[in-house]
Amino acid sequence: MLRWVRQQLGFDPPHQSDTRTIYIANRFPQHGHYVPQKFADNRIISSKYTVWNFVPKNLFEQFRRVANFYFLIIFLVQLMIDTPTSPITSGLPLFFVITVTAIKQGYEDWLRHKADNEVNGAPVYVVRSGGLVKTRSKNIRVGDIVRVAKDETFPVDLVLLSSDRVDGSCHVTTASLDGETNLKTHVAVPETAVLQSVANLDKLVAVIECQQPEADLYRFVGRITVSQQAEEIVRPLGPESLLLRGARLKNTKEIFGVAVYTGMETKMALNYKSKSQKRSAVEKSMNSFLIIYLIILLFEAILSTILKYAWQAEEKWDEPWYNEKTEHERNSSKILRFISDFLAFLVLYNFIIPISLYVTVEMQKFLGSFFIGWDLDLYHEETNQRAQVNTSDLNEELGQVEYVFTDKTGTLTENEMQFRECSINGIKYQEVNGKLTPEGFSEDSPDGNRRGLVKEEELFLKAVCLCHTVQINADQTDGADGPWHANGITSPLEYYASSPDEKALVEAASRVGVVFTGISGDSMEVKSLGKPERYKLLHVLEFDPNRRRMSVIVESPSGEKLLFTKGAESSILPRSKSGEIDKTRIHVDEFALKGLRTLCVAYRRFTPEEYQEIGKRLHEARTALQQREERLADVFNFIERDLELLGATGVEDKLQEKVQETIEALRLAGIKVWVLTGDKHETAVSVSLSCGHFHRTMNILELVQHKSDSTCAEQLRQLAKRIKEDHVIQHGLVVDGTSLSLALREHEKLFMEVCKNCSAVLCCRMAPLQKAKVVRLLKTSPEKPITLAIGDGANDVSMIQEAHVGIGIMGKEGRQAVRNSDYAIARFKFLSKLLFVHGHFYYIRIATLVQYFFYKNVCFITPQFLYQFFCLFSQQTLYDSVYLTLYNICFTSLPVLIYSLFEQHVHPHVLQSKPVLYRDISKNAHLGFKPFLYWTILGFFHAFVFFYGSYLLMGEDTSLLGNGQMALETHFWTWINHFVTWGSIVFYFIFSLFYGGIIWPFLHTQDMYFVFVQLLSSGSAWFAIILIVVACLFIDVVKKVLYRHLQPTSTEKAQLTEAGSGINCLDSMCCFSDGETACTSVRRMLERLMGRCSPARVNRCGISLNSLCCRRFSYKLEPDEPAAIDV
């Protein structure tokens, strides 16, 4: 128990060594001095709290907030010294805010506990005592042999021991981990693959040594030592042997595996990565405003204390006849009295700090984020995917973006590859009617009379068919000899691949006569023009981003050992010693200029001696527990040399719909777009031109292929000079990965100067970490611009996490980008609606919310300060304590919350069709110092008007004015706005009548008894209320009218244009029938309440209207909209 406590507190980490030793079936050595390692149990814990620590931990987290901690201090001061207001005035609002937040967080954590219990209690089968034992998932220990059946999810990270197949292989899908739906093949080592029964497995004596847990899903280093007949056999274990928790078994009846990582040490649990806290610009402004108001508060308290003692310098005011001091007060220390008075004034004015600001902002962000998921225009019908919000803390940041960093493949393009051209032995070919046709060679003969493949062509196609990781649908593998066309060139097989490039190439090869028909055991089967051939797969040299290539070593039917390799031309051509290298390089450049993705293909023949040396080196590197990756990289480089070039391929990846329009809209909005891609220079430039990132009239500057600091610096200086000379022309910059590394090493400032003067920047041949580095470079520059990164693959995760706002595309390269993003959308074109409409609305709403909170508290508490001049600074309170308590909680909270959820100062259509309106809110325009100063001065002005107006005419409260100002700010009125705005004022009157009309037995004083009734029975009081409210709001109305006519912003001009257009359909409130969520009922209720959802808009998205809850609607159409539909 003590050890467990120490581990929880972090004093006693469970692992001390770099590796862990696992005895299969927990058969530990019998000698007495062996001490087994301690491992975590298999419980998954995603919750933050327990029954015991919820209260202290939650309170600690909440009081870390400045405002909460401040009000706690004020509350404690009220308890300790004699203050003018009751402790309830601070304690009750604080208790309300803390309680609401705790209930919300507690409920969320209860849901996590519920989910955890469901997972941890799932039934599993474990091999123990010679038989299968049914137990709960949480009871699995490291070393247990676990049985998993078809379509079940792996409960722990397992090393595969055997399956129902003779070769010990199985197929799994990791869709729930990385989104890849293709089947992955995992294999057991030969010594355990034959142990297919429980009885045989129970006799297994083996030890696994492997690395300690780490989050990388694709990395595993280990080895297994199997004891057979007094002999120990050592086999390497890699990612192909590891079955990950959360993955699902497919096309395999059952498997047995040994648990190596359990519970929170599984790779899935380690990937429950709490994202780094991103703070929005609004939150930073809010904290700055809080500090300024704290300074105002301290100034007022100090000034009041000084004035009190200045006033009391006259003896008649120091101790008036009606308030004589006690003996203790006369003899007390002056310093202590000064401090006590200062604290009393601090308590009196403390409501200038808005306690409910944080909780209101949290509610606004949380509730407001649902509108993104509900937006029909962000719903992709083909894939049935809607927009996702992974964090609601950055909603308003979508309205502040200045730089967009985007990936190319799968983000700007569809990531649907189609084979277009290839180069074989220096000759270019195209696919025509299922045939490889040399360039310039026209052949219209039917398929039956087609020419055969020449030797070079056949070898090239075999290399394409053997060097890949493509899988075949298991239902078809047995029927590979099924129906064929007479010419043997059409394959009925269905291929699966994690890389769309590989799938396109294998499918193209099958169409022209060389068909990959599957893997059987350790053999790859190929049909060349209908003739089956079997190649023994000896080794796979996996792809990695540093080598930028992958290879396989196979044994041909004739017994020859061959290496086939494919990869980027920059990694293949320098390693090739023969073949048509120069011609192929020219062809690769031509392919790239057409926007095609290129790969080079090469091979090498091994002598028996060479292969023996290679096998030995590979075994040593793969069984190493330390620095395995580095050793393997050295061996791979040793093997992949002296290549004979076979040719190159060109695959087309078509652009996504409306990419060009979206990039142009971003440019009009003042947002600079940078494309960061791993593609080669020519391909990237071609795609940039086709998608509108580069214009044909743009002067394209290049910083590429530099090998030294000096040449790179000289080129940068020339580019900077050229930009200065041609400042009228728009410039685009192309930079490659190697030149970028040099530029950032010594010449970062000069590089940034060149980049900022370019309208568009294209970075090609980029590694994932280089992408993140570029984002960080802009993000930390002196201007501190707001950055957004968007991508679809695992290689984009680093830049998505680095940017202020990260957006994942739900593409074909897995779900890692989506899981690590702040927002996720299905297509790049949705970015315009996300920024120009949702971002614009969220920013305007929260900017007004934050400033209104400070404004209304200044209005509320300044009269308290002014009143002290009339009561000799005796710390007498102006307001009844109940009104102090309820002002922020009840009287003024709902109108601003509803405003911040539903306000639309301009119609969504107008915002999206006029991207230039985005410039009006850029650079935190509505939360800068000038708007803040205006709202603060407005608050003080209103406070002076109604204090002195009330002093001259009558007594007055500020709730009427606060809600009146909110009504003045609202442009988009729904019945909910009317209800809460006017309802709050009505509630104030009803409450005052009720509170002052009854003698409450639990109140020791009741200063407001019958006061309000008497006040409202006077006609002059009503006249004074109306006069003061109008006088306060009149100045703001005049200011708004003058500014709109003399200096209107683009947004205000758009509002005037919109006023006569008759638009009244709320797009963001429409719902869709497919993929409905648990919030559907709430959404439909809101639609009915708002009365703004038109089926005509729904029909434009191609969604069935039968499922919608709307009745008969119509609205005035815009010129470009279809006719209204009656439902």
Side-chain angles (χ1 to χ4, degrees), residues 285 288-297 300 352 354 847-848 850-863 926-946 961 965 1036:
S285 298
S288 302
F289 297 162
L290 272 174
I291 291 169
I292 292 171
Y293 271 67
L294 274 171
I295 293 170
I296 293 173
L297 170 64
E300 288 184 348
I352 197 171
T848 307
V850 169
Q851 304 204 89
Y852 174 75
F853 254 92
F854 287 106
Y855 152 82
K856 70 184 180 72
N857 279 42
V858 167
C859 284
F860 183 56
I861 216 65
T862 302
H926 289 252
L927 270 178
F929 184 72
K930 283 185 179 179
F932 169 70
L933 190 62
Y934 169 75
W935 278 91
T936 303
I937 292 173
L938 187 68
F940 280 114
F941 169 72
H942 287 173
F944 273 83
V945 169
F946 59 66
L961 179 71
Q965 183 67 32
D1036 201 41

Side-chain angles (χ1 to χ4, degrees), residues 183-430:
L183 297 179
K184 296 182 173 68
T185 303
H186 291 257
V187 292
V189 298
E191 286 72 24
T192 63
V194 296
L195 307 175
Q196 295 178 307
S197 67
V198 173
N200 289 334
L201 284 166
D202 194 50
K203 299 173 185 174
L204 174 65
V205 179
V207 179
I208 291 175
E209 294 171 272
C210 62
Q211 63 187 157
Q212 295 291 8
E214 65 171 35
D216 191 340
L217 294 174
Y218 308 106
R219 185 173 183 271
F220 178 67
V221 177
R223 65 185 175 206
I224 182 170
T225 305
V226 182
S227 300
Q228 288 185 346
Q229 300 170 355
E231 182 186 0
E232 291 189 346
I233 302 170
V234 180
R235 296 284 185 183
L237 298 174
E240 72 284 349
S241 304
L242 187 67
L243 306 171
L244 300 179
R245 177 173 190 148
R248 192 177 294 273
L249 184 64
K250 290 286 186 182
N251 297 344
T252 310
K253 185 179 177 183
E254 66 175 11
I255 64 99
F256 290 93
V258 60
V260 288
Y261 303 130
T262 50
M264 298 308 293
E265 294 181 340
T266 58
K267 290 183 180 287
M268 183 182 77
L270 293 173
N271 275 278
Y272 289 152
K273 180 177 170 286
S274 56
K275 299 182 183 70
S276 57
Q277 274 301 103
K278 295 182 179 180
R279 295 174 64 217
S280 68
V282 169
E283 190 179 340
K284 293 171 187 173
S285 298
M286 201 162 71
N287 291 338
S288 302
F289 297 162
L290 272 174
I291 291 169
I292 292 171
Y293 271 67
L294 274 171
I295 293 170
I296 293 173
L297 170 64
L298 291 171
F299 170 76
E300 288 184 348
I302 292 170
L303 180 63
S304 297
T305 309
I306 292 171
L307 289 174
K308 176 181 179 178
Y309 281 93
W311 203 288
Q312 290 179 354
E314 294 184 45
E315 191 174 339
K316 65 175 181 176
W317 298 122
D318 182 39
E319 193 175 352
W321 60 269
Y322 55 83
N323 189 19
E324 292 185 6
K325 293 181 181 179
T326 64
E327 194 65 31
H328 175 73
E329 287 174 331
R330 290 192 186 97
N331 297 329
S332 62
S333 165
K334 289 185 178 181
I335 295 175
L336 288 177
R337 271 189 293 162
F338 185 90
I339 293 172
S340 177
D341 285 327
F342 168 73
L343 291 175
F345 280 116
L346 207 63
V347 168
L348 193 64
Y349 305 145
N350 79 82
F351 277 91
I352 197 171
I353 305 296
I355 184 172
S356 54
L357 174 62
Y358 279 117
V359 73
T360 308
V361 167
E362 271 194 11
M363 289 173 68
Q364 188 270 345
K365 289 183 175 184
F366 174 70
L367 296 173
S369 64
F370 285 107
F371 294 134
I372 292 178
W374 293 345
D375 192 343
L376 270 175
D377 290 338
L378 301 183
Y379 170 69
H380 192 241
E381 189 181 7
E382 291 175 24
T383 56
N384 190 29
Q385 290 171 329
R386 58 177 188 147
Q388 283 179 216
V389 180
N390 296 330
T391 174
S392 60
D393 292 338
L394 302 171
N395 292 343
E396 65 278 4
E397 206 80 330
L398 293 170
Q400 296 296 295
V401 175
E402 296 172 62
Y403 283 86
V404 168
F405 299 90
T406 174
D407 178 39
K408 182 183 77 67
T409 306
T411 304
L412 301 179
T413 62
E414 288 283 6
N415 206 9
E416 285 182 2
M417 308 301 175
Q418 293 182 333
F419 175 79
R420 292 298 181 211
E421 296 183 68
C422 66
S423 170
I424 304 174
N425 200 30
I427 301 172
K428 278 206 292 185
Y429 292 81
Q430 291 181 330

Side-chain angles (χ1 to χ4, degrees), residues 713-776:
E714 179 60 30
Q715 180 68 6
L716 277 171
R717 280 189 282 270
Q718 288 181 9
L719 293 178
K721 183 181 177 183
R722 192 170 165 187
I723 290 171
K724 200 171 287 185
E725 291 171 353
D726 302 334
H727 61 277
V728 179
I729 306 172
Q730 279 193 329
H731 299 280
L733 177 67
V734 183
V735 58
D736 62 11
T738 52
S739 303
L740 179 73
S741 298
L742 293 170
L744 297 184
R745 191 183 303 165
E746 298 288 341
H747 317 289
E748 189 176 295
K749 192 174 179 182
L750 184 59
F751 176 70
M752 285 302 301
E753 184 186 333
V754 171
C755 288
K756 286 178 182 177
N757 289 315
C758 291
S759 303
V761 178
L762 168 65
C763 300
C764 53
R765 286 293 184 232
M766 297 283 285
L769 288 177
Q770 280 184 312
K771 291 184 179 184
K773 199 169 184 180
V774 169
V775 175
R776 192 183 309 119

Side-chain angles (χ1 to χ4, degrees), residues 71 77 80 82 271 282 319 371 384 493 495 542 572 622 631 658 734-735 755 791 816 859 896 973 1040:
F71 272 90
V77 168
M80 288 188 291
D82 183 23
N271 275 278
V282 169
E319 193 175 352
F371 294 134
N384 190 29
L493 298 174
Y495 296 110
E542 297 82 3
I572 299 293
R622 282 182 165 151
R631 294 188 185 187
K658 293 188 177 178
V734 183
V735 58
C755 288
Q816 288 197 58
C859 284
V896 69
W973 284 93
K1040 288 179 184 291

Side-chain angles (χ1 to χ4, degrees), residues 1065-1066 1070 1092-1099 1110 1113-1115 1124-1125:
C1065 169
L1066 180 61
C1070 289
R1092 305 287 300 226
C1093 179
S1094 168
R1097 291 294 301 154
V1098 179
N1099 191 50
C1110 307
F1113 293 88
S1114 64
Y1115 72 109
I1125 293 176

